[in-house]
Amino acid sequence: MKPSRITECNEWILARFPLTKLWNEHMTHYYAPKNFNFWYFFGSLALLVLVNQILTGIFLTMNYKPDAKLAFDSVEYIMRDVNWGWLIRYMHSTGSSAFFIVVYLHMFRGLLYGSFKHPRELVWIFGMLLFVALMAEAFMGYLLPWGQMSYWGAQVIISLFSAIPVIGDDLSLWVRGDYVVSDATLNRFFAFHVIAVPLALVMLVFLHIVALHEVGSNNPDGIEIKDSKDPWGHPVDGIPFHPYYTVKDLVGVGVFMLFFATVIFYMPEMGGYFLEHANFIPADPMKTPEHIAPVWYFTPFYAILRAIPDKFAGVIGMGGAIVVLFLLPWLDRSPVKSIRYRGGIYKKALLLFVISFLALGYLGTQPATPTATIFARIFTAIYFGFFLLMPLYTRWEKTKPVPKRLTPVHSLEEQLPALIEEITVLKPASTEIGHNAFKGSSFTRQPNPEGIRNVISRFVKKAIGSLD
């Protein structure tokens, strides 16, 4: 039978571009651990949000004017006059916050299961470079609406560069392109936000994924599945990423899109955290806002900056809070990866770190009162203590034995019937005279107080026991 034109065209392309090879290596023939849980949704969600940011950003640039006199009005034009412009703008602004939420949870997953440890040090380094590039991208995009908070926030952050000895003043002048935040600053930030940093982000995502697929994905047990293979050379505890995890990720995408759409359509400003109220006022160099604070995803590091009285030391502290994350693979001396088999010291330290990070994030949004400053210093000490004391407490703690194979995972679908049986009781639907209460349709499940107490008690005991 003579091959069709489509088949011939397909063969012509494959002879010149290894599309099938790439698909097999990174999807169908890439074996991932079979015990992934919901924490592993956030990597694919980060990629989804990146695509959203790039596409919506392209459409926004079609009507945006990178000019100090026209920028604010062009954003208002997009919101009011461009067909579906308000939706595209809100998808982009909400997407920036969603990006950081997903990335922070993705990084926390790494802390939970030791995804930064051998042999994934380079995967972690590429991920941290992605985080820094994302912060730069968000900061430069924050200036573009040319609102009051955009203008003055950029003024404050750029002025921090002047605290660097010798080169500080020249560096601040170079970043601004002028002696104050002006049209030159807006133009160069626009160029970096639209062209330079997105290219770096795409390149780092590629390197991050390639490095990950070279060494293989980590899992909640922290066991290397490549160590146990079947006669065909496939990991016995692994399954092909496609179709199993591509289909599973669609569930995570569906849940994420539900929350994402809810924010876009009902609360795009999120009470002033996603879009500050002051940013709906045109930038005025002659009028300073009452309280200048960055967007919520920068506030933990901003709180560290304000907690240190000396300006230069504050800049060092703020930068050190990010640099110390790069050193994590070499600070952790524990022989196990996953928190499931670590000792209680690490679990308590991680809990304190999460509390300190959230508290610093909140304090960074508040005015710098004496009481807030004291608390910020305490939580800053806890933040750095988690990392700097890690070589000691991870070496001292007593770990649990790690199994040689992955532990079985019971899905929610498998656990749900037994859980429903425990927390409910079957009773007749009606007790009226003459009603046949023995028909199957006349019975209904009602809450079982004792069963609910048992489930809650078991959950609390498990949570307390996990800290031992």
mmCIF file of all heavy atoms in Angstrom, residues 45 83 135 147 165 198 205-206 222 235 288 298 316-317 352 406 425 444 448 465:
data_model
loop_
_atom_site.group_PDB
_atom_site.id
_atom_site.type_symbol
_atom_site.label_atom_id
_atom_site.label_comp_id
_atom_site.label_asym_id
_atom_site.label_seq_id
_atom_site.Cartn_x
_atom_site.Cartn_y
_atom_site.Cartn_z
ATOM 1 N N LEU A 45 2.302 22.538 37.428
ATOM 2 C CA LEU A 45 1.512 23.766 37.535
ATOM 3 C C LEU A 45 2.380 25.004 37.313
ATOM 4 O O LEU A 45 1.918 25.991 36.733
ATOM 5 C CB LEU A 45 0.831 23.837 38.904
ATOM 6 C CG LEU A 45 -0.306 22.832 39.157
ATOM 7 C CD1 LEU A 45 -0.862 23.014 40.558
ATOM 8 C CD2 LEU A 45 -1.411 23.001 38.124
ATOM 9 N N ASN A 83 -11.208 44.740 23.837
ATOM 10 C CA ASN A 83 -12.063 43.569 24.012
ATOM 11 C C ASN A 83 -11.369 42.507 24.858
ATOM 12 O O ASN A 83 -10.286 42.039 24.500
ATOM 13 C CB ASN A 83 -12.453 42.973 22.650
ATOM 14 C CG ASN A 83 -13.406 43.864 21.881
ATOM 15 O OD1 ASN A 83 -14.164 44.635 22.477
ATOM 16 N ND2 ASN A 83 -13.378 43.772 20.569
ATOM 17 N N MET A 135 11.965 36.368 40.458
ATOM 18 C CA MET A 135 11.878 37.570 41.300
ATOM 19 C C MET A 135 12.245 38.813 40.497
ATOM 20 O O MET A 135 11.595 39.864 40.623
ATOM 21 C CB MET A 135 12.791 37.426 42.518
ATOM 22 C CG MET A 135 12.394 36.314 43.465
ATOM 23 S SD MET A 135 13.470 36.192 44.904
ATOM 24 C CE MET A 135 12.869 37.548 45.903
ATOM 25 N N GLY A 147 1.750 52.973 38.566
ATOM 26 C CA GLY A 147 0.894 53.484 39.632
ATOM 27 C C GLY A 147 1.740 53.987 40.785
ATOM 28 O O GLY A 147 2.976 53.896 40.769
ATOM 29 N N PRO A 165 29.139 49.228 49.075
ATOM 30 C CA PRO A 165 30.329 50.095 49.073
ATOM 31 C C PRO A 165 30.954 50.220 47.685
ATOM 32 O O PRO A 165 30.893 49.303 46.873
ATOM 33 C CB PRO A 165 31.283 49.384 50.051
ATOM 34 C CG PRO A 165 30.409 48.502 50.876
ATOM 35 C CD PRO A 165 29.277 48.087 49.991
ATOM 36 N N PRO A 198 12.432 36.767 30.334
ATOM 37 C CA PRO A 198 11.684 35.581 29.863
ATOM 38 C C PRO A 198 12.547 34.580 29.106
ATOM 39 O O PRO A 198 12.351 33.369 29.245
ATOM 40 C CB PRO A 198 10.607 36.191 28.956
ATOM 41 C CG PRO A 198 10.378 37.550 29.505
ATOM 42 C CD PRO A 198 11.734 38.012 29.957
ATOM 43 N N VAL A 205 14.260 26.769 32.654
ATOM 44 C CA VAL A 205 13.258 25.692 32.743
ATOM 45 C C VAL A 205 13.735 24.476 31.958
ATOM 46 O O VAL A 205 13.637 23.336 32.433
ATOM 47 C CB VAL A 205 11.885 26.177 32.220
ATOM 48 C CG1 VAL A 205 10.948 24.992 32.004
ATOM 49 C CG2 VAL A 205 11.264 27.170 33.184
ATOM 50 N N PHE A 206 14.268 24.708 30.761
ATOM 51 C CA PHE A 206 14.795 23.618 29.943
ATOM 52 C C PHE A 206 15.927 22.888 30.670
ATOM 53 O O PHE A 206 15.942 21.653 30.753
ATOM 54 C CB PHE A 206 15.283 24.171 28.600
ATOM 55 C CG PHE A 206 16.027 23.182 27.756
ATOM 56 C CD1 PHE A 206 15.353 22.197 27.062
ATOM 57 C CD2 PHE A 206 17.411 23.239 27.658
ATOM 58 C CE1 PHE A 206 16.037 21.268 26.290
ATOM 59 C CE2 PHE A 206 18.109 22.325 26.892
ATOM 60 C CZ PHE A 206 17.425 21.334 26.200
ATOM 61 N N GLY A 222 12.140 9.080 49.243
ATOM 62 C CA GLY A 222 13.543 9.440 49.072
ATOM 63 C C GLY A 222 14.403 8.272 48.640
ATOM 64 O O GLY A 222 15.605 8.229 48.939
ATOM 65 N N PRO A 235 12.877 0.549 35.938
ATOM 66 C CA PRO A 235 12.743 0.549 37.408
ATOM 67 C C PRO A 235 11.473 -0.183 37.832
ATOM 68 O O PRO A 235 10.379 0.088 37.314
ATOM 69 C CB PRO A 235 12.665 2.041 37.769
ATOM 70 C CG PRO A 235 13.289 2.749 36.609
ATOM 71 C CD PRO A 235 12.962 1.926 35.397
ATOM 72 N N THR A 288 4.285 60.941 48.312
ATOM 73 C CA THR A 288 4.680 59.610 48.748
ATOM 74 C C THR A 288 3.504 58.896 49.417
ATOM 75 O O THR A 288 2.820 59.502 50.249
ATOM 76 C CB THR A 288 5.841 59.700 49.763
ATOM 77 O OG1 THR A 288 6.886 60.493 49.207
ATOM 78 C CG2 THR A 288 6.381 58.317 50.093
ATOM 79 N N PHE A 298 7.358 39.291 47.960
ATOM 80 C CA PHE A 298 8.659 39.829 48.341
ATOM 81 C C PHE A 298 8.736 40.173 49.823
ATOM 82 O O PHE A 298 9.822 40.456 50.338
ATOM 83 C CB PHE A 298 8.965 41.101 47.539
ATOM 84 C CG PHE A 298 9.180 40.870 46.073
ATOM 85 C CD1 PHE A 298 8.683 41.757 45.139
ATOM 86 C CD2 PHE A 298 9.885 39.773 45.621
ATOM 87 C CE1 PHE A 298 8.872 41.560 43.775
ATOM 88 C CE2 PHE A 298 10.087 39.560 44.266
ATOM 89 C CZ PHE A 298 9.582 40.454 43.340
ATOM 90 N N ILE A 316 22.630 42.929 52.922
ATOM 91 C CA ILE A 316 23.347 41.659 53.011
ATOM 92 C C ILE A 316 22.426 40.568 53.565
ATOM 93 O O ILE A 316 22.409 39.436 53.074
ATOM 94 C CB ILE A 316 24.594 41.793 53.907
ATOM 95 C CG1 ILE A 316 25.605 42.742 53.269
ATOM 96 C CG2 ILE A 316 25.223 40.431 54.168
ATOM 97 C CD1 ILE A 316 26.171 42.255 51.958
ATOM 98 N N GLY A 317 21.629 40.919 54.595
ATOM 99 C CA GLY A 317 20.699 39.949 55.169
ATOM 100 C C GLY A 317 19.641 39.515 54.174
ATOM 101 O O GLY A 317 19.314 38.327 54.071
ATOM 102 N N LEU A 352 9.243 25.337 62.446
ATOM 103 C CA LEU A 352 9.618 26.691 62.879
ATOM 104 C C LEU A 352 9.987 27.561 61.684
ATOM 105 O O LEU A 352 9.675 28.754 61.646
ATOM 106 C CB LEU A 352 10.783 26.624 63.868
ATOM 107 C CG LEU A 352 10.459 26.123 65.269
ATOM 108 C CD1 LEU A 352 11.742 25.959 66.088
ATOM 109 C CD2 LEU A 352 9.498 27.074 65.969
ATOM 110 N N LEU A 406 9.850 1.176 47.427
ATOM 111 C CA LEU A 406 8.852 2.185 47.752
ATOM 112 C C LEU A 406 7.739 1.579 48.594
ATOM 113 O O LEU A 406 7.320 0.440 48.370
ATOM 114 C CB LEU A 406 8.247 2.774 46.475
ATOM 115 C CG LEU A 406 9.191 3.520 45.527
ATOM 116 C CD1 LEU A 406 8.387 4.162 44.413
ATOM 117 C CD2 LEU A 406 10.001 4.572 46.260
ATOM 118 N N VAL A 425 -23.247 6.250 60.086
ATOM 119 C CA VAL A 425 -23.983 5.062 60.501
ATOM 120 C C VAL A 425 -25.251 4.967 59.664
ATOM 121 O O VAL A 425 -25.854 5.991 59.315
ATOM 122 C CB VAL A 425 -24.322 5.120 62.004
ATOM 123 C CG1 VAL A 425 -25.210 6.307 62.322
ATOM 124 C CG2 VAL A 425 -24.969 3.817 62.463
ATOM 125 N N THR A 444 -30.616 5.696 55.164
ATOM 126 C CA THR A 444 -29.720 6.801 54.839
ATOM 127 C C THR A 444 -28.565 6.820 55.829
ATOM 128 O O THR A 444 -28.683 6.308 56.953
ATOM 129 C CB THR A 444 -30.467 8.148 54.901
ATOM 130 O OG1 THR A 444 -29.567 9.202 54.547
ATOM 131 C CG2 THR A 444 -30.983 8.437 56.310
ATOM 132 N N ASN A 448 -21.804 9.736 62.476
ATOM 133 C CA ASN A 448 -21.531 8.907 63.648
ATOM 134 C C ASN A 448 -20.541 9.646 64.543
ATOM 135 O O ASN A 448 -19.342 9.668 64.249
ATOM 136 C CB ASN A 448 -20.969 7.556 63.216
ATOM 137 C CG ASN A 448 -20.641 6.661 64.400
ATOM 138 O OD1 ASN A 448 -21.071 6.916 65.522
ATOM 139 N ND2 ASN A 448 -19.876 5.605 64.139
ATOM 140 N N GLY A 465 2.878 12.124 66.534
ATOM 141 C CA GLY A 465 3.914 11.097 66.416
ATOM 142 C C GLY A 465 4.922 11.394 65.324
ATOM 143 O O GLY A 465 6.089 10.997 65.420
#
